[in-house]
Amino acid sequence: MNPPLLSVVIPMYNEQEVLPLLIERLRPLLDGAGVAYEVVAVDDGSADATGAMLIQAARQWPGLRVVRLRRNSGHQAALTAGLHRSRGRYVASIDADLQDPPEKILEMLALARAKDLDIVYGVRDDRSTDTFFKRQTAQLYYRVMRRLVGKKIPHNAGDFRLLSRAAVDALKAMPEHQPVYRLLVPWLGFPSGEVAYRRDVRAAGSTKYPLSKMIKLAIDSVTNFSAAPLRLATWSGLLSFLACLGLGVYSIVQHSRGDTVSGWTSLFTAVLFIGALQLLCLGLLGEYLGRLYAEVKGRPMYIIGYDSAMHVPAQEPADEADGDRLTEAAAR
Ligand code: UDP
Ligand code: MG
């Protein structure tokens, strides 16, 4: 089978509310674009009707391919599964919630083909529809990331982007277990362009990125790209050692003068400070050690439960139980 020109990867987790709206908007758009395409909907172990709805929709829409992960593996892992299994010469990734306008995918494709680019970022030029908290945390995130990874990180470019097959293959070749694509992709250094867009409000349903997942993304981002926090531990350890040395000399001098009456305050704060510092450094070490441990274990990032492209129901009509009797293949 010839690879399609365009793959559209959509990670979804419990998106039953927004799914009909998404299909309604995406299908006419892609059908009308006059290119061969596949939509790779990655059901990230949803607990609601998303999986069943996707399988249902795929019966009427030959361009829709459903990949189901056995368990909820997280946005970046779902994206990985989609990228790994996509076949298109260009691969776009987009959220399911219609915050990113799907129409822009065609604009990205046109730009990539016209200028022979490997990466086209969707860049949010207006975040006014995001909550104040989201805007502030996002701004902080991108500022820190530009510091750590370099100036190449486009501001406000999330996971709405188009990649060429070459870029996808380069990403596939990376053995990372906690990839953060918004940092990895710029790091590749392929020729890139940008398409600006306005971020809409979520079309339906509620966010699948609670604070805990945002924090996880931030920690993954920092530790994936930089050992700077470890160095921070070294430096603060060194500084506090010097400070302690000074304080030690001071206390000896005071002692020799017979001036050692009071001072539990300074002692108390010093003990607290050193204790905190040690815990901080241990925590940092633990963070990286944990990552090493995860990499060494080499456990797959996700497990495919079902891929409609690997199972073409020729004569027999597919039924809901299909998902269970299909091959369970480790992702790597
Ligand atoms: N998502 C996912 N797995 C998860 C969490 C989220 O596949 O564990 C998907 C979700 O369905 C959506 C995208 O990631 O398509 C972005 O999530 P969301 O829109 O909820 O994040 P927000 O825009 O609020 O940051
Ligand atoms: Mg969203």
Side-chain angles (χ1 to χ4, degrees):
M1 195 168 82
N2 278 341
L5 179 73
L6 178 68
S7 294
V8 180
V9 173
I10 317 178
M12 305 182 187
Y13 176 56
N14 291 349
E15 298 286 11
Q16 62 180 12
E17 290 91 1
V18 88
L19 192 56
L21 301 172
L22 174 71
I23 292 174
E24 211 173 281
R25 188 145 155 213
L26 195 58
R27 185 168 184 185
L29 179 77
L30 292 176
D31 282 344
V35 297
Y37 70 88
E38 64 170 359
V39 172
V40 184
V42 184
D43 170 13
D44 185 12
S46 300
D48 68 356
T50 304
M53 285 167 82
L54 278 174
I55 291 175
Q56 188 71 36
R59 282 186 205 156
Q60 280 123 40
W61 185 8
L64 176 64
R65 175 174 169 199
V66 186
V67 173
R68 181 173 162 83
L69 307 188
R70 290 257 169 217
R71 46 183 289 275
N72 179 229
S73 313
H75 180 205
Q76 300 294 308
L79 203 56
T80 309
L83 288 179
H84 282 197
R85 298 182 89 80
S86 66
R87 295 171 292 205
R89 286 193 6 238
Y90 289 92
V91 184
S93 53
I94 184 169
D95 287 353
D97 58 3
L98 292 173
Q99 282 193 286
D100 314 322
E103 292 75 20
K104 290 282 171 184
I105 294 176
L106 298 183
E107 208 175 297
M108 291 174 172
L109 183 65
L111 182 68
R113 295 175 87 187
K115 295 205 174 152
D116 202 16
L117 301 174
D118 282 287
I119 303 166
V120 181
Y121 300 103
V123 177
R124 294 167 264 214
D125 57 4
D126 177 6
R127 288 189 84 120
S128 56
T129 52
D130 278 340
T131 61
F132 176 77
F133 177 70
K134 189 105 191 173
R135 276 207 303 273
Q136 294 304 314
T137 47
Q139 203 187 352
L140 179 70
Y141 174 83
Y142 285 106
R143 201 177 297 155
V144 172
M145 289 312 129
R146 279 163 82 92
R147 262 277 168 85
L148 291 181
V149 187
K151 294 271 183 310
K152 279 182 304 190
I153 308 290
H155 258 305
N156 278 326
D159 285 310
F160 182 35
R161 70 174 91 72
L162 182 88
L163 300 168
S164 68
R165 177 53 36 198
V168 173
D169 286 343
L171 287 174
K172 275 168 88 168
M174 291 197 208
E176 313 239 349
H177 269 76
Q178 279 124 337
V180 179
Y181 285 109
R182 60 192 67 183
L183 305 180
L184 268 183
V185 170
W187 179 86
L188 291 175
F190 282 64
S192 65
E194 290 181 1
V195 164
Y197 72 101
R198 205 175 149 272
R199 192 147 218 238
D200 273 327
V201 286
R202 192 174 236 286
S206 56
T207 179
K208 306 300 176 301
Y209 252 95
L211 189 61
S212 58
K213 280 189 184 166
M214 278 166 66
I215 291 175
K216 183 181 179 302
L217 183 72
I219 293 180
D220 280 349
S221 303
V222 173
T223 52
N224 266 2
F225 261 91
S226 160
L230 278 177
R231 238 167 286 139
L232 189 83
T234 318
W235 279 111
S236 54
L238 202 71
L239 281 179
S240 66
F241 176 71
L242 288 178
C244 288
L245 216 64
L247 283 174
V249 171
Y250 171 74
S251 70
I252 291 172
V253 169
Q254 291 297 83
H255 182 74
S256 64
R257 281 176 169 186
D259 206 7
T260 48
V261 195
S262 64
W264 80 265
T265 320
S266 53
L267 203 67
F268 191 57
T269 39
V271 167
L272 277 185
F273 176 67
I274 303 296
L277 204 69
Q278 279 173 335
L279 281 182
L280 179 80
C281 297
L282 274 180
L284 282 174
L285 283 175
E287 195 63 48
Y288 284 91
L289 197 67
R291 258 142 242 276
L292 277 178
Y293 179 57
E295 299 282 335
V296 166
K297 265 191 309 194
R299 207 174 267 172
M301 201 188 328
Y302 56 85
I303 297 168
I304 299 289
Y306 173 89
D307 182 344
S308 62
M310 301 292 137
H311 169 79
V312 188
Q315 279 91 32
E316 41 163 342
D319 56 52
E320 246 59 301
D322 273 351
D324 293 331
R325 65 184 158 85
L326 282 158
T327 48
E328 182 165 348
R332 302 183 347 132

